[in-house]
Amino acid sequence: MSDRERLIERMKSIMGPKGVVSDHEQLRTYECDGLMNFRVRPTLVVLPETAEHVQRAVQVCHDEGIPFVARGSGTGLSGGALPHEQGVLIVLARMREILEVDIPNQRVVVEPGVINLKVTQEVAPEGYYFAPDPSSQLVCSIGGNVAENSGGAHCLKYGFTTNHVTALEVVLPNGEMVNLGSKSPDPPGYDLVGAFVGSEGTLGIATKITLRIVRQPETVQTLLAAFPSPDDAGGAVSDIIAAGTVPAAAEIMDSLAIEAAEAAVHPGYPDADAILIVELDGPAAEVEHQFDEVVRICEENNSTEIRIAEDDAQRALFWKGRKAAFAAVGRISPDYFVQDGVIPRTALPEVLRKIKQMSDQHGLRVANVFHAGDGNLHPLVLYNGNVEGEAERAEELAGEILVLCVELGGSITGEHGVGEEKKHYMPKMFSEDDLNTMQLLRCAFDPHALSNPEKVFPTPRLCGEVRPGPRRIHPVEKAGLAQVF
Amino acid sequence: MSVSEVVQVSVEDLKNIVGEEHAREAKESDAVDGVTPSFVVEPGTVEEASAVMKLAHEKGLRVTPRGSGTKIGWGNPPSEVDLVVSTARLNKILEHAAGDLVARVEAGVKLEDLQKELSGANQMLALDPPEASATVGGIVAANASGPRRLRYGTVRDLLIGITVVLPNGTVAKAGGKVVKNVAGYDLGKLFTGSLGTLGLIVETTWRLHPVAAASRTVVVEVESPAAAGATVQSLMHSTLVPTMIEVNRPGSDGGGTVAVLIEGIGPGVMAQAVSALEITRHHGTPRVLEGREVETFWDDALKSPWDGDGVGLKVNALPAELPNVLELVSDAAGRNGVTSRVTGHAATGVTLVGLSGGDEEGQAATVQELRDIVGSGEGSVVVVQGSPELKRKVDAWGPVGDALTLMRRVKGRFDPGGLMNPGRFVGGI
Ligand SMILES: Cc1cc2nc3c(=O)[nH]c(=O)nc-3n(C[C@H](O)[C@H](O)[C@H](O)COP(=O)(O)OP(=O)(O)OC[C@H]3O[C@@H](n4cnc5c(N)ncnc54)[C@H](O)[C@@H]3O)c2cc1C
């Protein structure tokens, strides 16, 4: 029996024959996540049904020195769930149970494979919802949200996944299972929940997640305003926030993004160079007053048309075009890169001007969609992969945009994560010392670098002075790709 | 350790780094929970802080970072301290980007000074721990919070960037200057509440909030812990968005008050106050405070329930457990001959308990009884103020569960020499 065959047998003995995928063709289903330009076929895929399955599978990987990668729904946009070719892909999609709903304490406990929107659907009858609402919420998993610290259109006011997770059950890369955090506030000790959320699968696998749920607001009001330029729309957002209002959402799309959305889902947006969607929520008396002010501010910033959602159906229509924007760009361009840079909000006009210049220089179109309230840009760099050299130029342009974001005091990623895609940009944001310090945390959790290795950090490092445990030559080390750190 | 034992280091070595006036031999008043250090040093820049830490590392000096010293008694007494590194001179507000609602400040800036600066732009850092003179670095290290946490969260929800000096002198940063950012590990959260056991915090970047234009206070008199609990629950599950929901129970029996602070814009807060009256009147006697009584009320309600030399506990439980916690505290205190006074950020599950009277034996037994019940569920009971004698009888933190081994590994990686605040943190870390 080969090593691989032996591994397959061991995994089958843990989760049954149906829990293991080893056929070459079937493995292809798992070779990429939402970022489809990176593809790797794993050695095998396992589909655990319980935390114990996960623990035992990880234990096997640890004993054998085999890397593993967790995967939720595979919608990640940075290659986080890209498999390791010598590794096991641990797919959590079968762990879909909502374990506990505790309305009096505003908590829900779920398995990692539970779909984001399911949580909201579960608690909606009680007047609650789960605040982080990535556009992918119909399909993405809570485990993936935890790993990516996902946000959504409403996170300016309500925060990201990290603000809504209070406890985790985690299988560590050595197969130990630990409980981090607690259902109640301020557990003593290091905030390892805070350290784990956003760690992109590199610190272990979350097998149980305790979430905070939020009371639905009394009122929601949404408007859509057309502007002669994205600058004007950005100016309106700055003025709204300067007036002391924190909108539940503030989203801008430029003309190219509007065109794409129109072609794909026909939201009937006004013909304009930019549109702004502003949503306010909260107590009725307060929202009404603030909403009037938002209308006035939009007018002052040269808005040419303002539409106010009369009901939920119209609100949904406003959002439909925005939420479909990424995919919609496929209607106006054969290929595109999605970027996820962040800038201080006040730098918006400058960034837009510079992106325009860069786009002209490279001879490529850039569509802009952004979470304007928190300065998170999603420039979509359009190209045609069949035209020789265009993909490279597009990648270069996308990279230049990220560097620009960092230069202006921002970040290379606001919500999609570093993953495989952006790890080489990490040194633009962080010094060698910064990265080495982050590595200390990694080494505490995963001294053998088995959990989603080679992601997030530009150069794989292994940890020195490993505490008692198996010391095997890591595949990365064997291939001469890393030194012991 | 006495001066003579730290043979390899003299105060001159420290002065060489920070200048003549900023290093000295320690005095009795520099003691950390009863343990007197040898030296106190006040670096004026991040570079100086790094050089000091490097020296301490090379010479094996045990270091306690100190801000204003308001929480120097937190945690367990350290096993040893050689050097207090004070952030008092790291007191610059480096940047206030009002349009971005972000501020970058050195760790030694006092919260009250920062708030004063920010108020010029009608903004605030939405943290309100009881000690206004606390430094922002100390607030992060202690994860200090106040009643506003109901609406704005705690340090972990507001800190967006951090720069630290590791025990070996390495200067490292994480996070950034923008609210939304998922690049790299969130070391800001790791350092939040780490009580100086992983390194020295030198710089912090914060998300700010606008100061509300108007406010209203509704106070509900309640007759029993059960009524207090019902009042809080009714508010929590309403669509009101209060800034604070505070419970007060001055004595060991009978009732107290549940107070609600509503902030926002004029017409909004009045409407919310009216709803609050409506919602709570089934559980107690509510009224809207007027004029000067507002300030008087809050001054009193937000006072710490313990005195300078009393015992202070922070009970972290689920919010629906409030009535049980209130009963439990008065019962346990009564059984052990001590008197309790309770306030709390009720809708978050955080209850603050002051114990007075009785002896250390009784205080310790009270803590233990609370831990046996609150701690066996989902909660914890932390001694935030207490005499060294009390802390010899009960650990300041209580049990932390099965994550302790992992916490020790984290500590081992960041501070392999065990030099930072040894013994003060959970599980002897
Ligand atoms: C159309 C579209 C729109 C999107 N919109 C948004 C948006 O608005 N906001 C946003 O933030 N993101 C958005 N995303 C990105 C993506 O949906 C999120 O990152 C999501 O959280 C990923 O969840 P997933 O279950 O698909 O995770 P996967 O892609 O399967 O995995 C993501 C990462 O999480 C790790 N992981 C998965 N499960 C676990 C676990 N249980 N324990 C530890 N690690 C784990 C994986 O190893 C990987 O590194 C969008 C994606 C698409 C395709």
Side-chain angles (χ1 to χ4, degrees):
Chain A
M1 242 204 271
S2 71
D3 282 355
R4 180 168 184 268
E5 282 161 356
R6 221 172 315 116
L7 182 64
I8 292 170
E9 287 316 308
R10 282 186 74 179
M11 291 299 184
K12 280 186 178 164
S13 76
I14 294 169
M15 46 203 106
K18 283 210 187 116
V20 181
V21 179
S22 59
D23 174 77
H24 250 31
E25 271 319 294
Q26 284 179 318
L27 286 175
R28 193 197 277 269
T29 319
Y30 299 99
E31 67 185 3
C32 68
D33 61 4
L35 181 74
M36 286 175 260
N37 36 343
F38 293 100
R39 286 172 196 271
V40 169
R41 236 179 279 183
T43 295
L44 76 141
V45 170
V46 297
L47 300 156
E49 286 182 341
T50 63
E52 194 207 330
H53 285 172
V54 176
Q55 183 179 22
R56 289 174 64 194
V58 170
Q59 210 128 41
V60 169
C61 291
H62 178 255
D63 291 348
E64 304 291 331
I66 299 168
F68 61 88
V69 176
R71 176 182 166 115
S73 304
T75 67
L77 290 174
S78 55
L82 182 75
H84 190 284
E85 76 178 320
Q86 277 122 26
V88 175
L89 188 73
I90 302 180
V91 179
L92 299 144
R94 287 194 179 174
M95 294 177 62
R96 286 215 169 159
E97 219 174 306
I98 294 179
L99 301 168
E100 188 191 341
V101 175
D102 180 352
I103 298 292
N105 292 305
Q106 301 174 328
R107 297 284 187 274
V108 172
V109 183
V110 301
E111 289 188 329
V114 168
I115 301 302
N116 174 297
L117 192 60
K118 274 275 157 57
V119 179
T120 289
Q121 287 168 345
E122 180 80 18
V123 298
E126 313 273 359
Y128 279 85
Y129 71 109
F130 179 56
D133 61 339
S135 305
S136 51
Q137 70 182 149
L138 268 169
V139 280
C140 66
S141 72
I142 296 293
N145 296 167
V146 166
E148 300 291 350
N149 186 17
S150 297
H154 294 88
C155 60
L156 169 66
K157 183 165 176 183
Y158 292 101
F160 317 95
T161 302
T162 191
N163 308 108
H164 298 273
V165 176
T166 75
L168 294 168
E169 176 188 88
V170 171
V171 174
L172 295 177
N174 65 1
E176 284 170 13
M177 191 181 280
V178 293
N179 290 283
L180 310 180
S182 69
K183 202 171 159 190
S184 58
D186 298 3
Y190 298 127
D191 182 0
L192 298 183
V193 170
F196 189 94
V197 177
S199 63
E200 305 193 31
T202 62
L203 300 181
I205 300 184
T207 48
K208 192 159 93 182
I209 301 154
T210 304
L211 304 171
R212 204 163 71 83
I213 48 169
V214 178
R215 186 69 174 84
Q216 285 164 359
E218 186 181 4
T219 313
V220 182
Q221 288 222 40
T222 312
L223 69 72
L224 186 147
F227 290 88
S229 75
D231 259 26
D232 288 318
V237 174
S238 286
D239 290 352
I240 291 167
I241 289 169
T245 300
V246 180
E251 301 283 311
I252 297 178
M253 295 167 75
D254 73 359
S255 55
L256 214 48
I258 299 170
E259 182 191 330
E262 211 48 63
V265 295
H266 321 297
Y269 287 157
D271 189 15
D273 276 340
I275 58 167
L276 166 66
I277 300 173
V278 180
E279 194 157 284
L280 300 184
D281 68 9
E286 181 138 341
V287 169
E288 256 160 50
H289 179 91
Q290 288 177 328
F291 202 70
D292 291 344
E293 185 138 317
V294 169
V295 170
R296 184 181 58 72
I297 290 171
C298 287
E299 283 165 353
E300 276 172 15
N301 281 276
N302 310 320
S303 174
T304 50
E305 183 180 342
I306 295 174
R307 297 181 189 170
I308 294 168
E310 299 294 340
D311 50 29
D312 284 349
Q314 200 175 2
R315 178 176 7 267
L317 199 60
F318 288 0
W319 278 110
K320 191 172 172 191
R322 167 60 190 89
K323 294 221 169 181
F326 292 0
V329 166
R331 295 293 183 115
I332 60 165
S333 174
D335 302 288
Y336 59 95
F337 283 118
V338 182
Q339 279 303 9
D340 179 38
V342 188
I343 50 156
R345 182 183 44 248
T346 48
L348 198 59
E350 185 181 350
V351 170
L352 291 176
R353 222 174 306 118
K354 290 201 169 139
I355 291 181
K356 179 80 178 66
Q357 276 167 14
M358 290 174 179
S359 136
D360 292 345
Q361 268 161 22
H362 287 265
L364 292 169
R365 293 184 298 168
V366 178
N368 283 297
V369 180
F370 33 87
H371 305 299
D374 46 34
N376 187 192
L377 315 174
H378 292 309
L380 299 140
V381 180
L382 315 189
Y383 69 98
N384 182 346
N386 292 325
V387 176
E388 167 122 8
E390 229 179 79
E392 289 74 22
R393 284 216 317 277
E395 204 177 339
E396 201 178 309
L397 171 54
E400 281 175 23
I401 294 173
L402 289 191
V403 173
L404 173 67
C405 291
V406 174
E407 279 168 6
L408 290 167
S411 169
I412 58 173
T413 175
E415 56 184 17
H416 296 167
V418 177
E420 177 67 22
E421 187 199 24
K422 288 184 283 281
K423 61 186 186 184
H424 298 299
Y425 291 97
M426 284 291 274
K428 303 268 182 222
M429 236 181 117
F430 296 109
S431 72
E432 193 63 17
D433 280 344
D434 301 342
L435 295 173
N436 285 341
T437 303
M438 291 181 190
Q439 206 61 31
L440 296 173
L441 183 70
R442 173 67 179 273
C443 291
F445 277 75
D446 184 15
H448 307 289
L450 294 176
S451 190
N452 213 2
E454 296 160 67
K455 304 279 176 67
V456 185
F457 298 100
T459 36
R461 275 162 252 242
L462 304 178
C463 309
E465 42 113 16
V466 175
R467 277 133 204 281
R471 164 83 182 118
R472 290 191 176 77
I473 300 204
H474 192 271
V476 183
E477 195 184 359
K478 215 188 289 180
L481 293 171
Q483 290 130 18
V484 171
F485 166 69
Chain B
M1 191 174 279
S2 72
V3 180
S4 59
E5 282 175 88
V6 188
V7 277
Q8 309 94 320
V9 182
S10 72
V11 75
E12 293 308 316
D13 298 327
L14 293 164
K15 286 181 173 172
N16 285 340
I17 299 172
V18 297
E20 190 61 30
E21 282 104 84
H22 305 301
R24 59 174 171 81
E25 279 168 13
K27 298 179 291 219
E28 199 66 20
S29 58
D30 295 310
V32 181
D33 224 356
V35 181
T36 308
S38 303
F39 309 112
V40 177
V41 62
E42 299 187 338
T45 62
V46 173
E47 292 71 31
E48 286 180 10
S50 162
V52 165
M53 296 290 278
K54 194 152 176 277
L55 178 76
H57 183 249
E58 281 163 9
K59 305 293 185 188
L61 305 187
R62 269 101 5 144
V63 174
T64 287
R66 184 172 80 191
S68 294
T70 60
K71 295 174 196 74
I72 209 73
W74 277 40
N76 295 313
S79 55
E80 258 149 328
V81 184
D82 304 310
L83 178 64
V84 165
V85 179
S86 160
T87 57
R89 290 174 63 230
L90 293 170
N91 61 356
K92 285 181 280 303
I93 298 176
L94 301 168
E95 192 180 345
H96 173 202
D100 295 314
L101 284 158
V102 165
R104 195 161 61 88
V105 302
E106 288 186 325
V109 169
K110 291 192 169 138
L111 181 62
E112 56 192 357
D113 294 339
L114 177 60
Q115 301 291 31
K116 203 147 125 214
E117 168 76 23
L118 301 176
S119 67
N122 222 14
Q123 296 179 356
M124 63 174 177
L125 171 57
L127 282 173
D128 56 349
E131 311 84 1
S133 66
T135 62
V136 294
I139 288 171
V140 174
N143 188 21
S145 63
R148 270 176 204 281
R149 60 181 289 161
L150 173 63
R151 180 159 180 183
Y152 299 100
T154 54
V155 169
R156 77 196 299 290
D157 303 295
L158 301 168
L159 182 73
I160 59 173
I162 193 166
T163 306
V164 297
V165 180
L166 298 187
N168 66 5
T170 301
V171 179
K173 66 176 187 314
K177 276 195 340 183
V178 283
V179 168
K180 198 169 182 185
N181 173 14
V182 295
Y185 294 148
D186 194 344
L187 298 183
K189 292 205 178 41
L190 185 67
F191 274 76
T192 298
S194 66
L195 207 76
T197 57
L198 299 176
L200 178 73
I201 299 165
V202 287
E203 208 182 288
T204 55
T205 306
W206 299 92
R207 171 185 192 167
L208 308 177
H209 283 87
V211 174
S215 70
R216 285 276 160 176
T217 299
V218 175
V219 177
V220 190
E221 305 273 348
V222 289
E223 283 186 349
S224 66
T231 305
V232 172
Q233 284 286 317
S234 70
L235 291 161
M236 276 174 73
H237 304 297
S238 75
T239 53
L240 300 180
V241 187
T243 302
M244 307 176 184
I245 300 179
E246 292 285 297
V247 68
N248 253 279
R249 194 180 189 216
S252 291
D253 46 38
T257 59
V258 173
V260 188
L261 179 70
I262 294 160
E263 292 182 311
I265 51 174
V269 293
M270 197 54 223
Q272 283 198 69
V274 170
S275 307
L277 291 177
E278 188 54 33
I279 290 166
T280 55
R281 72 187 168 81
H282 310 288
H283 312 293
T285 318
R287 66 189 188 95
V288 181
L289 299 191
E290 298 293 344
R292 289 243 289 286
E293 68 178 337
V294 174
E295 201 173 320
T296 330
F297 174 82
W298 282 114
D299 274 353
D300 192 48
L302 296 182
K303 260 199 210 110
S304 164
W306 53 84
D307 321 318
D309 53 359
V311 174
L313 310 180
K314 179 160 171 277
V315 179
N316 307 307
L318 293 170
E321 294 298 315
L322 180 66
N324 293 338
V325 169
L326 294 177
E327 300 276 16
L328 206 64
V329 166
S330 48
D331 289 357
R335 265 195 302 277
N336 293 292
V338 290
T339 310
S340 64
R341 181 175 154 45
V342 173
T343 68
H345 319 315
T348 69
V350 173
T351 305
L352 305 172
V353 179
L355 299 180
S356 54
D359 54 13
E360 269 102 27
E361 209 69 53
Q363 296 162 354
T366 308
V367 173
Q368 202 48 58
E369 283 185 32
L370 291 175
R371 271 189 190 150
D372 287 347
I373 298 184
V374 178
S376 70
E378 293 279 352
S380 52
V381 179
V382 176
V383 180
V384 293
Q385 180 176 297
S387 62
E389 296 77 60
L390 173 63
K391 291 195 214 165
R392 267 194 288 276
K393 294 191 196 319
V394 285
D395 183 86
W397 305 99
V400 289
D402 62 8
L404 183 59
T405 313
L406 185 57
M407 290 181 194
R408 290 207 172 105
R409 285 182 205 141
V410 172
K411 167 75 173 178
R413 291 287 174 180
F414 278 79
D415 181 19
L419 297 177
M420 299 299 297
N421 258 341
R424 279 181 77 189
F425 203 45
V426 299
I429 289 175

